[in-house]
Amino acid sequence: MWFILSLVAVFFWSGSDFFSKLGSPQKDKNSHLKMIVAVGLVMGSHATYQVLVNGVTFNLQTVLVYLPVSFLYIFSMLLGYIGLRYIELSITSPICNTSGAVAAFLSFLFLKQTLSFPQLIATVLVIVAIVLLSYFQKQKEEAELKESGEEPGMKHMNSFLAIFFSIAYCIIDGLGTFMDAVVLSPISDNPAERTLMDSIFVHRLSEDSANVAYEYTFLVVGIITLLYLIFVKKTKFFPSYDGAKLLGAMSETAGQAAYIIALAANAVASAPLISSYCIFSALWAHIFLKERLSRKQYFAVALAVIGIVIMGFFGGD
């Protein structure tokens, strides 16, 4: 069952990347806010189902304890949606998905966890891949400008912003994953094994309760954002591509639900499989969005994917 659920998570999360990109045209300056609205409404509906049908425990204290983690995840997703307006999905998805390396490094620094040799190799691969992707993207932009005879301007700035937002997503999402490890893991009975984070976050949550708290927080953010778009920004909605945002939100929520169950059933085996979903994101972008990267860019993407899979494989414990 864990294998099937892992494939479901891969399918839906790569689908979330695809539909989110499809619903994020550069001409729509509010597309990232609309994505937040769509994800918030869908996640809120799923949280209500979890509470009413599956009996997941939920109260205000749970929301408040998990609020710092929820904020990091929601903010990182906002940055990721902004970046989708400016850069190919084939590039941004692998960069964003390297957040596991950030979480591993923070766990090493603050939670007294050790990094195995494969994890160190994976971290190096991820860093090298991000640097190469940034450099090759700059080379590609310069070549296109030279060929067209245009002067460097807004296109250069958009390229920089795209890489910046993708890397910012990676760092903040990695910090969120690290905080997840703090809030969800039990405090050691041995005082000598406790960390500084254990003294700060004394309340620990179950995965189901934490996920419901996260989804309800996202719902509140989504509703506030919707009111802002309607009454302050006077935003227009376009069914031609705003519908893709809803499909992206549904895919994100479905993938998250499958991910939690698969990880609980077999974390060691499911984590590396699920972490490779960015391969399929790039595949959908290549087939349906007609994205074409240079050989050097594909090489850098491959390095990132290898690092992600290694990190997932040896980070199950």
Side-chain angles (χ1 to χ4, degrees), residues 7 18 42 69 72 100 106 118 125 137 162 181 224 237 282 285 289:
L7 292 180
F18 170 73
V42 174
V69 189
L72 289 169
L106 292 173
L125 286 175
Q137 180 67 13
I224 293 173
F237 292 84
L289 300 180

Side-chain angles (χ1 to χ4, degrees), residues 19-313:
F19 287 119
S20 298
K21 175 62 176 177
L22 199 63
S24 302
Q26 191 170 337
K27 63 182 180 180
D28 185 1
K29 295 182 179 180
N30 294 315
S31 64
H32 56 293
L33 297 178
K34 293 178 183 178
M35 277 301 311
I36 292 296
V37 172
V39 175
L41 294 177
V42 174
M43 283 195 173
S45 301
H46 179 256
T48 301
Y49 173 84
Q50 288 287 82
V51 172
L52 297 180
V53 178
N54 293 335
V56 176
T57 303
F58 167 76
N59 53 49
L60 182 59
Q61 184 185 26
T62 305
V63 174
L64 294 177
V65 170
Y66 202 69
L67 190 60
V69 189
S70 297
F71 170 77
L72 289 169
Y73 281 142
I74 294 171
F75 186 50
S76 67
M77 290 180 71
L78 175 63
L79 294 177
Y81 292 140
I82 296 174
L84 280 175
R85 299 211 324 256
Y86 302 112
I87 198 171
E88 291 92 340
L89 178 60
S90 307
I91 295 177
T92 187
S93 183
I95 292 178
C96 291
N97 206 25
T98 57
S99 57
V102 176
F105 181 70
L106 292 173
S107 297
F108 169 75
L109 288 179
F110 298 106
L111 299 184
K112 300 180 180 180
Q113 295 182 4
T114 58
L115 288 177
S116 65
F117 181 72
Q119 286 177 312
L120 287 173
I121 295 297
T123 302
V124 171
L125 286 175
V126 162
I127 294 172
V128 170
I130 291 175
V131 172
L132 288 177
L133 279 171
S134 302
Y135 178 70
F136 293 152
Q137 180 67 13
K138 181 175 180 294
Q139 279 190 328
K140 182 183 178 183
E141 295 284 355
E142 290 176 346
E144 290 176 350
L145 287 172
K146 185 177 181 180
E147 185 177 341
S148 64
E150 297 178 20
E151 291 294 326
M154 187 56 66
K155 190 171 184 180
H156 253 348
M157 178 59 68
N158 289 345
S159 178
F160 167 79
L161 289 175
I163 293 293
F164 169 80
F165 283 121
S166 298
I167 294 176
Y169 172 97
C170 168
I171 294 172
I172 296 174
D173 186 71
L175 182 57
T177 303
F178 162 73
M179 292 299 298
D180 246 344
V182 174
V183 175
L184 300 181
S185 61
I187 299 176
S188 174
D189 294 330
N190 185 357
E193 295 179 356
R194 293 175 187 169
T195 65
L196 174 63
M197 304 304 292
D198 290 329
S199 62
I200 298 175
F201 293 90
V202 295
H203 297 286
R204 299 304 164 98
L205 306 174
S206 68
E207 289 185 354
D208 288 339
S209 296
N211 192 55
V212 166
Y214 165 60
E215 291 185 329
Y216 272 135
T217 303
F218 217 133
L219 172 63
V220 172
V221 173
I223 292 174
I224 293 173
T225 304
L226 177 61
L227 295 176
Y228 171 75
L229 287 173
I230 293 175
F231 295 106
V232 178
K233 298 288 289 185
K234 310 294 183 182
T235 303
K236 295 181 179 179
F237 292 84
F238 304 94
S240 57
Y241 55 82
D242 283 338
K245 295 180 176 64
L246 185 59
L247 291 175
M250 294 170 66
S251 297
E252 174 69 27
T253 305
Q256 177 73 11
Y259 167 77
I260 292 174
I261 301 173
L263 212 64
N266 192 339
V268 174
S270 62
L273 176 57
I274 296 173
S275 66
S276 66
Y277 78 86
C278 59
I279 299 175
F280 294 91
S281 299
L283 181 62
W284 309 146
H286 183 83
I287 295 174
F288 298 108
L289 300 180
K290 308 303 180 183
E291 291 185 0
R292 299 293 184 266
L293 306 182
S294 67
R295 290 183 179 180
K296 292 185 292 186
Q297 286 176 308
Y298 279 121
F299 170 74
V301 167
L303 281 184
V305 171
I306 291 171
I308 291 166
V309 173
I310 293 175
M311 186 62 67
F313 210 105

